[in-house]
Amino acid sequence: MIGGLFIYNHKGEVLISRVYRDDIGRNAVDAFRVNVIHARQQVRSPVTNIARTSFFHVKRSNIWLAAVTKQNVNAAMVFEFLYKMCDVMTAYFGKISEENIKNNFVLIYELLDEILDFGYPQNSETGALKTFITQQGIKGQLQTKEEQSQITSQVTGQIGWRREGIKYRRNELFLDVLESVNLLMSPQGQVLSAHVSGRVVMKSYLSGMPECKFGMNDKIVIDKQGKGGASDDAGKSGKQSIAIDDCTFHQCVRLSKFDSERSISFIPPDGEYELMRYRTTKDIILPFRVIPLVREVGRTKLEVKVVIKSNFKPSLLAQKIEVRIPTPLNTSGVQVICMKGKAKYKASENAIVWKIKRMAGMKESQISAEIELLPTNDKKKWARPPISMNFEVPFAPSGLKVRYLKVFESKLNYSDHDVIKWVRYIGRSGIYETRC
Amino acid sequence: MYCFTEVLYHGKNHLISCNSAEKIMFSQHNPLFSVDGSLSSRSQEFLCIFLCACTSIICCSSDCHCVTFFLNLHQHSFYYFFYCLQENRQFGSKMTDSKYFTTTKKGEIFELKAELNSDKKEKKKEAVKKVIASMTVGKDVSALFPDVVNCMQTDNLELKKLVYLYLMNYAKSQPDMAIMAVNTFVKDCEDPNPLIRALAVRTMGCIRVDKITEYLCEPLRKCLKDEDPYVRKTAAVCVAKLHDINAQLVEDQGFLDTLKDLISDSNPMVVANAVAALSEIAESHPNSNLMDLNPQTMNKLLTALNECTEWGQIFILDCLANYTPRDDRESQSICERVTPRLSHANSAVVLSAVKVLMKFMEMLPKDLDYYGTLLKKLAPPLVTLLSAEPELQYVALRNINLIVQRRPEILKHEMKVFYVKYNDPIYVKLEKLDIMIRLASQANIAQVLAELKEYATEVDVDFVRKAVRAIGRCAIKVEQSAERCVSTLLDLIQTKVNYVVQEAIVVIKDIFRKYPNKYESVIATLCENLDSLDEPEARAAMIWIVGEYAERIDNADELLESFLEGFHDESTQVQLQLLTAIVKLFLKKPTETQELVQQVLSLATQDSDNPDLRDRGYIYWRLLSTDPVAAKEVVLAEKPLISEETDLIEPTLLEELICHIGTLASVYHKPPSAFVEGNHGVQHKGLPGSAGSAESESPDAVSAGAATEAPAAVIPSQGDLLGDLLNLDLTPPATTGPLPHSGGMQMGAMDLLGGGLDSLLGGDLGGSPAMGAGFGAPPAAMPPAFSAPVSGSLYDLFDLDNGVGMPLGSFCPPKTVWLPAMKAKGLEISGTFVRHAGVIQMEMTITNKAMSVMTGFAIQFNRNSFGLAPAGPIQVPSPLSPNQNIEVSLPLNTVGPVMKMEPLNNLQVAFKNNIDVFYFSCQYPISVLFAEDGKMERQVFLATWKDIPNENESQFQIKDCHLNSDAASNKLQSINIFTIAERTVDGQDMLYQSMKLTNGIWALAELKVQAGNPNYTVSLKCRAPEVSQCVFQSYEAVLKN
């Protein structure tokens, strides 16, 4: 299991060092610094083996988190743990920075003691941890016996993510369907790969221990219902349903129930959390189409023309549109003309950045640019990185629809109808690239 | 006045030289002051002087780590010391936010000590925090041990945790003092607050001091049965900790049984931790059957799986993977209960579930519906892993690489998700590329190639190289795409980007090996880029190509020669390849390349320090000199085609790695034993065999078996010299087949045989006598004959310069019938030998006396006394029609294999045509072997004459010769018998003559010519008297002619 955990700043100075196993010595701290942080060449793997000691590292801004082991540990678990550790720290004191880590190092040690025992990850749900590890400290003596046992049962219990006795005057929940649509398109407009990775994020402010059931237009569920119910309905609903390639759930969701009935039932954690992630590849609505035209005029000039077309209902508005057209390294000057928005050549990023604040559906806009190049004797041709695009649209490109989210709380006297529910769809660009 | 000072330090013996022994603590009942060690070297030096000046030093050592000096200090010295220290001390200003991390001020330890002993709680806590901060950055604050431990007894949980953290770090270095903490631990284990109980037992387990572990047992036993699950789950892990410190103790105390009981605990987290602890303990007792996995426990584990935390699920799944189900039914039911985990958000849970499924799937009959369902269910979660964070993607990809090799059907339709994204980190890109190649098939090859071509224009050099290499692998894997791949590679070569070109050449070499005689038209393009190759692998590949296709490349010898210039600067890989390539070239074009091959052999054997190179050189040398036919069979042997799956992991290793999915082993693609020390988790794991469904499983088993049996055809990895040697040159074991013997010659492929062989032997004799002996050539007959055939014509020129005219029309004995038509199915050969301008020619008249045409002529000599061999294939314009005759002149050299014949000048010849092989023997006049440089210096002649013993002298009479001495001398000179001196004694002309045979044997002669007497007397002296008879025959023949 994990033998030790170190946190370094960008210079390689150690900020936190916690050793769990006897086989990890102090020299491991230096080994990682010398071989990874200060390595002459960029390290090309997140797992490094130095003298039979394995180092797993992740970087958050300029902070390095490194887990060390000498055993054949579960590598996926170590990385998951490091991410979790980052989440926990963020939940406690915000951004992970050298400043924040130094200011909270006692807290971090306390957390590390709690969530990693002899290198085995223990309960790392922030909700549970916050009940007994607090920034203010000194809660120990204030706790009553009942409180103590409540804490321990929550930390170890089946519903480790929620404590009992939560009360809200107004029972409210927010559902965000956040999708990022990824595309790789050939210059000729052929879709090389496209997929949507979506997340359903829930903010719940519900009293007690509510039992929830979430429903969406999952093709499998709807087809099943269609078979069971009126057969003429099947064709109609089939159109609106989507085929989900795969989905994963927060640990509160009863997986065995999903596996057998494909129903999503759970007792939600309090506050914000990610209920599920999913992925679809079929029938994706691609909100924008990019049509590039690059012409090399001699050795010192490039002509670029890019057309973007929006492809959704005219009543909807896309926002924060940004098209990034890469330019060669030896660019000396750029002239840009665009119909809409603003375009600028950013020499430091080697790209023309074209920004449009808003754009309605079924519209089209165009940019043309002349790029002057310095003559070089570099034999290698310009690699022509793809044109990438960023945007935000108020619908789910996968076509996912939330059908219901039912809340049952038998002990407290509020019903599903009393709960105020909000649903929002946001589609964002993931890696949305068109080769040119 | 005396002062009692205690100097604590650990580790080293000399305070003076010790940097880590900086902590010097002075105490006089109460701590007076303390000195932090980061004193300047000067003050340290001063300190030493001071210490030496102390009146007495009593050294008492109670523990090897801790040496205590009791110094009785003189008052004066003490003050002086104190003063010095004051100088070095700087009091820190009030600290700010990240205060604890500011560099330690001199004397901080002293301050901290005071603060730790303060009455104010807040101040105490602050001080402990400072201590922890110093500890984190690597400063040694162990000197504060007693003071920190004093703070332990507090009801402030936060402070307590900090003290515990300190204890865990330093207890081991101060075991005696650590005992002080035991009471508090024991007391805390009884605390009403479960959090404190757990904290105490958790910390105690981390203190690796024997004395403490003894005290730990009782509290631990209680905690294992604690009413609170939080305490129990902590205690469960503590058993593993204790086991790590003292395994025997854990067994004696019966903790293992208690731990096993916890598997049935009502709380899922307790179960998970107990499973984790037991698994770890079981790993260090491979045969203990500690986990005792039976259907009942499995059931408990599977139940807990649904309820515990994500981490607990991982522990349980990893443990489940070690279980071997009894039959396929049980296997299926476990799979069914594990499958829901594939939808978990935690990738590690997913991967561990995949591991369990991959393992148990082995036992399912393939015709089962469920088997197919399961296969289908595995693909989506694996693809989903690719949308995780890059580090996890990397782990996932490394595992997918294994899964794809074991069960390619799972992901065969998912090619697109492995397309490389522009922003992927390099490690993800490289892994994706690997998997793309594995998934490449005829169905998707077009897309894959388009992608790969795209990648080959990217920026990252490693990635581009791998992409180019991938194109080559596609060509090898999918035969239909080979053509397209080659043209893509050619396009890439046209880019002239150096590393792309080099990589392309390396893969084209492989393509040649997979599809011989198909794409050789591209060689010309490759040769154009010869100059840009600067990497060993690419150079080696190019050299291999040139050597392999030497017969098709007109200037192969020039190309190889150009490499030869910097032979010693090349890497071993290139040197070896160059050696092989030149030998190949020589065997293909023996006439033009003798010099080259001699050069490379001597470079490899004499001037190289590399044993591999030398050995390979000697092997070739010996092969060439002893048996050229064998040499050809060995060196030019048909190479096995390289297989399409060139870099598959060996099946047994793959099976083991499948059992380690998700772990480091699967990331490294190495068994745990390769990177784990000791016996922690290095047990060999294997997949279970299928139970009761052997028939349905067998096709897979057979194919797996086949894969094991054919591991030979692997592209040698870079630098794998042995592999290289074996694969490229010596692979076919059949080359040890029948070697030709002197009696019956093998006539296959003999037409090319010959050139340069003897000169190799000669060179060897000259260069390294030790080896020469090993070759077993008859030493008397074979002194260095090295330069003769090569330099003969040069000597002609020199001779002309000397004004010694070379008579035109040298002596030519008339042709005799060597092979009568009767004996040779209509083929008649008559012939003679002649030496002209330093070249020995075998003049033959070949007559076809049969009724049908003759074609396919070839000639071959048996070994003979002087190594005569054809210098090239016989040039007979075929077909030879019936009754046609033809004059053929076959140039010979004397570098063939040597064997003494009887008579000495006997030559056995094998002659082949389309009808049969015929054998005849003939005798050549030894005069054809007289070299043009056979003129000895007078002095040398005299000395040599005297030197040769008289018994070597033989006398002959030549009768009926009517020439005067001048005419005789001229005649003899035409066959390279040179007159060195002449004198007349009693009317008798004495001619002293010398001649040199091509193999370096000198013969000296005294010819007596008496005017009027037609009988001449020849006295011959030679170190090898056997030749005398033949030489005499030459005298007679030429003089009587």
Side-chain angles (χ1 to χ4, degrees):
Chain A
M1 283 303 117
I2 299 173
L5 201 138
F6 308 128
I7 302 181
Y8 300 85
N9 65 8
H10 66 285
K11 283 186 255 173
E13 290 164 356
V14 65
L15 304 177
I16 298 286
S17 104
R18 177 75 163 91
V19 174
Y20 294 95
R21 297 264 172 157
D22 203 35
D23 52 6
I24 302 299
R26 183 86 205 170
N27 50 359
V29 180
D30 303 323
F32 182 75
R33 182 193 7 255
V34 172
N35 289 296
V36 179
I37 303 182
H38 291 172
R40 223 170 277 157
Q41 291 158 336
Q42 198 196 346
V43 174
R44 303 207 135 201
S45 157
V47 187
T48 329
N49 194 320
I50 308 161
R52 293 199 150 216
T53 310
S54 299
F55 295 81
F56 302 77
H57 73 263
V58 299
K59 245 186 124 179
R60 287 288 180 269
S61 60
N62 52 12
I63 297 295
W64 298 75
L65 275 88
V68 193
T69 183
K70 284 206 163 181
Q71 297 172 14
N72 181 27
V73 297
N74 188 321
M77 185 188 80
V78 176
F79 280 123
E80 282 285 0
F81 175 79
L82 288 174
Y83 300 140
K84 198 73 179 190
M85 181 71 206
C86 293
D87 292 348
V88 170
M89 288 197 289
T90 316
Y92 266 96
F93 52 75
K95 192 172 169 274
I96 296 174
S97 65
E98 184 173 349
E99 187 75 13
N100 278 343
I101 287 174
K102 280 184 171 177
N103 284 337
N104 293 287
F105 82 97
V106 174
L107 171 74
I108 295 173
Y109 274 122
E110 211 176 322
L111 287 170
L112 282 176
D113 197 41
E114 187 58 45
I115 61 179
L116 212 53
D117 190 4
F118 202 42
Y120 289 105
Q122 304 291 307
N123 195 334
S124 49
E125 283 301 313
T126 334
L129 288 172
K130 276 191 169 168
T131 57
F132 66 107
I133 297 177
T134 55
Q135 262 175 307
Q136 287 73 37
I138 325 165
K139 219 180 171 183
Q141 54 270 68
L142 298 177
Q143 288 159 350
T144 64
K145 199 151 187 183
E146 291 78 60
E147 278 173 340
Q148 284 164 8
S149 66
Q150 205 181 6
I151 290 170
T152 57
S153 73
Q154 194 203 329
V155 172
T156 59
Q158 295 182 19
I159 308 165
W161 53 87
R162 188 179 181 92
R163 66 190 165 89
E164 295 210 30
I166 299 171
K167 280 204 177 69
Y168 286 101
R169 213 156 48 81
R170 203 158 89 133
N171 288 302
E172 204 170 10
L173 66 83
F174 300 83
L175 269 181
D176 282 346
V177 177
L178 306 173
E179 296 197 336
S180 77
V181 51
N182 299 278
L183 169 75
L184 183 63
M185 192 176 255
S186 77
Q188 293 76 33
Q190 183 195 3
V191 177
L192 295 173
S193 76
H195 74 271
V196 167
S197 57
R199 303 186 299 146
V200 178
V201 175
M202 183 171 173
K203 271 183 227 155
S204 71
Y205 304 103
L206 302 169
S207 310
M209 297 296 261
E211 177 72 44
C212 299
K213 213 174 165 194
F214 174 70
M216 55 185 176
N217 57 342
D218 181 0
K219 193 164 188 287
I220 298 172
V221 177
I222 297 204
D223 287 358
K224 217 192 271 173
Q225 284 173 349
K227 261 180 227 161
S231 54
D232 56 351
D233 199 40
K236 200 178 134 203
S237 57
K239 264 184 205 165
Q240 291 161 359
S241 64
I242 61 161
I244 291 176
D245 287 22
D246 188 37
C247 46
T248 59
F249 296 98
H250 186 267
Q251 57 169 327
C252 65
V253 176
R254 293 181 188 89
L255 293 178
S256 38
K257 214 162 177 193
F258 176 74
D259 197 54
S260 55
E261 302 162 24
R262 221 169 159 90
S263 72
I264 304 163
S265 63
F266 54 97
I267 296 171
D270 195 39
E272 185 173 340
Y273 72 101
E274 190 179 289
L275 175 66
M276 73 177 279
R277 277 178 187 236
Y278 57 92
R279 188 167 49 81
T280 69
T281 46
K282 289 202 187 75
D283 303 324
I284 294 168
I285 308 158
L286 295 171
F288 285 95
R289 164 90 205 272
V290 177
I291 304 155
L293 194 76
V294 180
R295 210 159 65 87
E296 289 180 36
V297 188
R299 284 183 59 79
T300 57
K301 204 170 154 190
L302 271 181
E303 280 180 9
V304 180
K305 203 174 111 181
V306 176
V307 180
I308 59 168
K309 284 183 181 170
S310 59
N311 177 34
F312 44 86
K313 269 192 252 167
S315 58
L316 298 175
L317 273 182
Q319 285 184 307
K320 300 179 190 167
I321 300 151
E322 186 185 290
V323 182
R324 191 169 279 267
I325 304 161
T327 56
L329 293 175
N330 56 337
T331 302
S332 61
V334 176
Q335 274 114 41
V336 204
I337 310 159
C338 58
M339 286 158 57
K340 222 178 162 191
K342 278 177 189 165
K344 240 186 205 167
Y345 166 61
K346 294 197 174 169
S348 60
E349 295 163 42
N350 288 311
I352 299 166
V353 180
W354 177 25
K355 286 184 179 169
I356 304 170
K357 274 188 187 149
R358 256 174 234 101
M359 191 166 170
M362 307 315 266
K363 288 264 162 53
E364 178 174 323
S365 191
Q366 178 181 328
I367 185 174
S368 51
E370 273 184 25
I371 302 168
E372 274 161 38
L373 305 174
L374 291 170
T376 56
N377 48 8
D378 195 3
K379 268 193 200 161
K380 196 176 181 314
K381 262 174 69 186
W382 178 46
R384 286 204 187 184
I387 294 174
S388 61
M389 198 178 170
N390 290 314
F391 53 80
E392 202 178 290
V393 288
F395 61 90
S398 68
L400 182 129
K401 291 257 160 31
V402 176
R403 289 171 61 219
Y404 56 81
L405 196 142
K406 291 174 196 156
V407 182
F408 311 96
E409 167 59 61
S410 46
K411 284 179 194 157
L412 297 172
N413 55 347
Y414 71 92
S415 71
D416 186 37
H417 299 292
D418 303 329
V419 181
I420 306 160
K421 301 169 188 168
W422 306 86
V423 181
R424 174 166 70 155
Y425 299 91
I426 300 172
R428 291 200 183 97
S429 53
I431 295 163
Y432 203 85
E433 292 176 339
T434 306
R435 287 182 180 154
C436 57
Chain B
M1 184 179 147
Y2 288 92
C3 166
F4 173 62
T5 305
E6 194 183 34
V7 181
L8 277 173
Y9 101 90
H10 15 207
K12 307 207 174 158
N13 291 324
H14 300 289
L15 188 65
I16 306 156
S17 64
C18 174
N19 292 328
S20 65
E22 306 101 334
K23 309 304 160 295
I24 302 171
M25 208 171 73
F26 293 83
S27 68
Q28 193 183 33
H29 304 301
N30 299 318
L32 181 65
F33 65 91
S34 62
V35 188
D36 177 69
S38 36
L39 299 174
S40 72
S41 61
R42 218 188 131 231
S43 22
Q44 280 190 7
E45 206 176 288
F46 199 78
L47 197 66
C48 302
I49 298 168
F50 164 73
L51 288 172
C52 295
C54 296
T55 44
S56 69
I57 298 175
I58 308 152
C59 179
C60 106
S61 135
S62 60
D63 183 87
C64 63
H65 288 300
C66 175
V67 181
T68 313
F69 290 94
F70 298 93
L71 306 177
N72 286 324
L73 298 182
H74 204 268
Q75 188 192 6
H76 180 73
S77 317
F78 180 75
Y79 280 131
Y80 190 43
F81 186 30
F82 184 81
Y83 171 77
C84 295
L85 292 171
Q86 282 284 7
E87 290 268 289
N88 274 305
R89 241 174 95 182
Q90 290 164 12
F91 289 94
S93 55
K94 193 65 201 155
M95 294 166 181
T96 52
D97 231 13
S98 311
K99 51 202 169 189
Y100 310 113
F101 279 88
T102 48
T103 48
T104 324
K105 301 291 184 289
K106 316 286 184 216
E108 196 189 12
I109 299 253
F110 170 62
E111 267 179 33
L112 284 173
K113 204 174 175 73
E115 280 176 41
L116 285 170
N117 288 303
S118 149
D119 295 334
K120 289 179 193 157
K121 271 187 187 169
E122 271 310 300
K123 208 164 189 187
K124 245 186 191 176
K125 204 165 107 185
E126 289 296 296
V128 178
K129 282 187 184 178
K130 281 184 211 167
V131 171
I132 301 289
S134 308
M135 191 177 84
T136 296
V137 295
K139 279 181 203 139
D140 189 346
V141 284
S142 59
L144 294 168
F145 200 90
D147 309 278
V148 176
V149 172
N150 272 337
C151 304
M152 196 170 159
Q153 277 174 342
T154 171
D155 47 1
N156 184 329
L157 198 56
E158 196 187 0
L159 180 57
K160 200 184 265 290
K161 283 181 180 170
L162 289 173
V163 174
Y164 282 178
L165 189 62
Y166 180 89
L167 266 177
M168 285 186 267
N169 255 301
Y170 288 113
K172 216 177 153 191
S173 60
Q174 314 233 344
D176 292 335
M177 294 238 200
I179 297 295
M180 289 163 62
V182 166
N183 266 335
T184 322
F185 278 128
V186 175
K187 219 174 90 193
D188 279 357
C189 286
E190 308 275 332
D191 198 280
N193 186 340
L195 294 175
I196 292 186
R197 289 204 298 277
L199 179 64
V201 79
R202 184 164 70 211
T203 313
M204 243 175 134
C206 295
I207 297 175
R208 306 176 62 92
V209 175
D210 285 344
K211 282 174 192 157
I212 290 201
T213 43
E214 284 167 27
Y215 289 103
L216 175 61
C217 292
E218 275 322 298
L220 179 58
R221 200 186 312 283
K222 267 186 213 159
C223 287
L224 280 168
K225 303 222 159 99
D226 200 286
E227 51 168 19
D228 195 294
Y230 185 76
V231 181
R232 288 203 302 276
K233 71 111 183 161
T234 312
V237 176
C238 190
V239 176
K241 292 179 188 171
L242 193 58
H243 186 271
D244 193 38
I245 304 167
N246 191 341
Q248 196 56 45
L249 186 71
V250 171
E251 278 172 47
D252 295 348
Q253 295 281 333
F255 284 136
L256 294 182
D257 293 327
T258 327
L259 204 53
K260 278 189 205 167
D261 294 343
L262 286 184
I263 291 186
S264 318
D265 200 281
S266 58
N267 185 295
M269 194 160 177
V270 177
V271 178
N273 276 6
V275 167
L278 273 175
S279 303
E280 180 169 341
I281 295 170
E283 272 181 0
S284 51
H285 295 281
N287 304 317
S288 64
N289 195 23
L290 196 62
M291 267 320 286
D292 188 28
L293 291 171
N294 54 40
Q296 287 76 38
T297 14
M298 287 309 277
N299 203 24
K300 283 175 200 159
L301 293 182
L302 287 165
T303 313
L305 186 63
N306 288 327
E307 292 163 353
C308 63
T309 63
E310 44 192 334
W311 313 115
Q313 296 185 15
I314 299 170
F315 305 153
I316 292 177
L317 286 169
D318 283 352
C319 176
L320 284 181
N322 293 328
Y323 178 68
T324 312
R326 286 163 309 172
D327 51 31
D328 52 329
R329 188 159 301 169
E330 191 187 6
S331 179
Q332 181 177 344
S333 86
I334 293 174
C335 286
E336 278 166 359
R337 292 178 74 175
V338 167
T339 319
R341 298 300 120 197
L342 294 176
S343 307
H344 202 285
N346 189 314
S347 316
V349 175
V350 177
L351 268 178
S352 291
V354 169
K355 164 165 58 190
V356 174
L357 295 175
M358 283 293 286
K359 192 176 168 187
F360 290 7
M361 213 154 71
E362 297 287 328
M363 294 190 63
L364 297 178
K366 281 225 163 74
D367 43 2
L368 199 69
D369 285 346
Y370 182 71
Y371 179 83
T373 323
L374 198 54
L375 277 183
K376 272 192 208 124
K377 277 192 176 171
L378 275 172
L382 287 174
V383 173
T384 300
L385 290 176
L386 297 183
S387 44
E389 288 83 348
E391 290 88 359
L392 271 174
Q393 278 186 50
Y394 174 72
V395 174
L397 285 165
R398 294 292 283 176
N399 281 291
I400 289 173
N401 200 328
L402 298 174
I403 293 168
V404 166
Q405 288 184 54
R406 180 73 197 165
R407 299 203 176 273
E409 62 270 32
I410 295 178
L411 287 167
K412 64 181 173 201
H413 299 303
E414 303 288 348
M415 174 60 97
K416 279 190 176 179
V417 297
F418 297 104
Y419 284 178
V420 170
K421 295 188 188 123
Y422 191 71
N423 295 326
D424 281 336
I426 182 68
Y427 49 83
V428 170
K429 285 185 176 177
L430 293 174
E431 291 307 316
K432 280 188 175 173
L433 206 50
D434 245 354
I435 295 168
M436 279 176 71
I437 300 161
R438 296 215 191 286
L439 291 178
S441 65
Q442 204 185 336
N444 55 25
I445 194 72
Q447 297 163 316
V448 172
L449 264 183
E451 280 294 307
L452 291 176
K453 199 175 172 187
E454 194 77 33
Y455 304 159
T457 59
E458 282 226 32
V459 188
D460 190 285
V461 178
D462 282 352
F463 179 60
V464 171
R465 281 171 178 279
K466 196 157 185 178
V468 175
R469 208 161 269 227
I471 297 174
R473 275 166 68 184
C474 284
I476 290 165
K477 190 172 177 193
V478 186
E479 187 160 0
Q480 294 81 357
S481 75
E483 184 123 22
R484 219 166 338 163
C485 293
V486 171
S487 77
T488 309
L489 287 170
L490 283 180
D491 287 351
L492 290 172
I493 288 177
Q494 298 306 336
T495 62
K496 302 277 177 199
V497 180
N498 190 283
Y499 52 85
V500 174
V501 174
Q502 309 211 37
E503 207 63 45
I505 285 180
V506 173
V507 297
I508 286 179
K509 179 200 78 178
D510 293 339
I511 294 177
F512 282 166
R513 287 206 52 196
K514 169 78 179 174
Y515 310 108
N517 306 319
K518 215 165 166 191
Y519 299 108
E520 280 71 25
S521 52
V522 307
I523 290 176
T525 321
L526 303 186
C527 290
E528 286 166 19
N529 291 288
L530 212 58
D531 301 333
S532 61
L533 308 181
D534 52 12
E535 288 160 21
E537 205 185 350
R539 287 174 81 87
M542 191 66 219
I543 291 169
W544 183 86
I545 292 171
V546 173
E548 187 66 17
Y549 298 101
E551 67 273 27
R552 306 185 192 205
I553 305 171
D554 296 335
N555 57 344
D557 48 342
E558 285 169 31
L559 293 178
L560 291 176
E561 202 168 356
S562 69
F563 282 104
L564 205 56
E565 280 161 18
F567 188 77
H568 289 297
D569 302 327
E570 300 283 4
S571 76
T572 314
Q573 192 185 10
V574 181
Q575 290 176 333
L576 286 169
Q577 211 51 261
L578 193 53
L579 174 60
T580 306
I582 291 179
V583 172
K584 281 182 192 165
L585 172 70
F586 172 66
L587 289 169
K588 289 175 179 174
K589 300 182 179 173
T591 39
E592 308 106 88
T593 54
Q594 277 176 46
E595 248 179 304
L596 201 58
V597 80
Q598 282 162 20
Q599 210 180 336
V600 75
L601 284 175
S602 81
L603 280 170
T605 52
Q606 287 158 37
D607 303 337
S608 170
D609 297 331
N610 184 322
D612 290 331
L613 185 62
R614 270 206 315 264
D615 285 356
R616 195 189 280 197
Y618 281 133
I619 288 170
Y620 285 147
W621 201 324
R622 194 163 192 169
L623 263 174
L624 291 174
S625 57
T626 45
D627 196 335
V629 182
K632 202 157 182 178
E633 276 177 35
V634 171
V635 179
L636 300 182
E638 200 164 303
K639 281 157 278 294
L641 298 184
I642 54 176
S643 83
E644 50 186 75
E645 289 302 345
T646 48
D647 53 351
L648 284 184
I649 296 174
E650 193 240 336
T652 48
L653 177 61
L654 181 62
E655 281 190 17
E656 191 183 352
L657 291 180
I658 289 287
C659 298
H660 287 292
I661 282 179
T663 69
L664 265 181
S666 71
V667 174
Y668 293 146
H669 288 184
K670 284 179 189 160
S673 52
F675 59 91
V676 173
E677 274 166 10
N679 56 359
H680 251 292
V682 295
Q683 288 154 276
H684 182 83
K685 293 184 182 176
L687 292 175
S690 75
S693 56
E695 320 80 56
S696 53
E697 180 74 10
S698 56
D700 191 40
V702 167
S703 65
T708 353
E709 282 156 21
V714 171
I715 299 179
S717 62
Q718 189 169 2
D720 183 357
L721 300 175
L722 186 62
D724 187 21
L725 180 66
L726 289 174
N727 281 319
L728 289 181
D729 301 315
L730 299 173
T731 319
T735 48
T736 49
L739 297 175
H741 294 286
S742 52
M745 274 195 184
Q746 282 228 325
M747 296 304 288
M750 61 175 16
D751 48 345
L752 288 178
L753 234 191
L757 296 183
D758 204 21
S759 71
L760 293 180
L761 182 61
D764 178 53
L765 284 169
S768 55
M771 279 306 293
F775 287 159
M782 279 295 115
F786 184 44
S787 57
V790 185
S791 50
S793 49
L794 284 181
Y795 269 87
D796 282 355
L797 296 175
F798 289 138
D799 279 352
L800 286 173
D801 271 355
N802 291 342
V804 184
M806 194 70 186
L808 294 171
S810 25
F811 164 68
C812 178
K815 281 181 180 166
T816 51
V817 174
W818 287 338
L819 184 68
M822 298 289 288
K823 283 188 179 174
K825 301 181 180 167
L827 177 71
E828 187 183 81
I829 299 173
S830 56
T832 183
F833 294 88
V834 65
R835 185 182 185 93
H836 180 67
V839 180
I840 307 165
Q841 306 266 16
M842 187 176 182
E843 307 281 1
M844 284 177 285
T845 306
I846 301 172
T847 314
N848 181 359
K849 295 193 171 172
M851 304 302 288
S852 58
V853 292
M854 290 178 180
T855 54
F857 295 98
I859 193 165
Q860 168 79 42
F861 295 174
N862 193 3
R863 296 177 222 191
N864 53 69
S865 314
F866 295 94
L868 274 179
I874 186 166
Q875 304 292 338
V876 182
S878 56
L880 188 63
S881 8
N883 278 327
Q884 191 188 351
N885 68 24
I886 190 164
E887 299 284 338
V888 179
S889 172
L890 177 69
L892 306 180
N893 58 27
T894 52
V895 293
V898 171
M899 191 175 74
K900 195 177 171 188
M901 300 298 288
E902 192 54 51
L904 206 59
N905 57 348
N906 195 18
L907 180 67
Q908 293 178 332
V909 181
F911 202 93
K912 182 191 149 191
N913 63 10
N914 57 332
I915 298 164
D916 205 343
V917 180
F918 310 101
Y919 302 96
F920 62 88
S921 63
C922 54
Q923 291 182 6
Y924 49 92
I926 204 162
S927 58
V928 297
L929 297 171
F930 293 163
E932 276 71 16
D933 58 342
K935 188 166 186 174
M936 218 178 222
E937 291 292 332
R938 261 173 194 239
Q939 300 303 321
V940 183
F941 183 87
L942 277 174
T944 316
W945 186 267
K946 279 182 192 156
D947 201 25
I948 298 174
N950 282 334
E951 57 265 34
N952 279 10
E953 187 174 347
S954 39
Q955 278 205 353
F956 302 94
Q957 293 279 321
I958 301 170
K959 291 176 179 157
D960 296 312
C961 191
H962 301 284
L963 294 164
N964 63 18
S965 61
D966 280 344
S969 175
N970 273 341
K971 267 204 161 173
L972 288 170
Q973 185 154 350
S974 72
I975 58 162
N976 294 335
I977 298 173
F978 299 95
T979 305
I980 292 160
E982 194 175 350
R983 62 177 178 152
T984 313
V985 182
D986 304 329
Q988 207 173 23
D989 286 329
M990 317 276 271
L991 299 175
Y992 294 97
Q993 294 169 323
S994 73
M995 66 225 79
K996 184 186 154 195
L997 294 175
T998 46
N999 59 3
I1001 295 177
W1002 287 89
L1004 311 181
E1006 185 194 47
L1007 181 67
K1008 290 178 192 162
V1009 182
Q1010 204 164 14
N1013 187 352
N1015 296 347
Y1016 293 179
T1017 310
V1018 187
S1019 302
L1020 284 168
K1021 260 192 165 184
C1022 183
R1023 285 185 201 278
E1026 309 82 320
V1027 303
S1028 302
Q1029 179 66 44
C1030 298
V1031 173
F1032 168 67
Q1033 286 170 5
S1034 296
Y1035 267 92
E1036 194 167 42
V1038 74
L1039 289 176
K1040 281 195 171 174
N1041 184 21

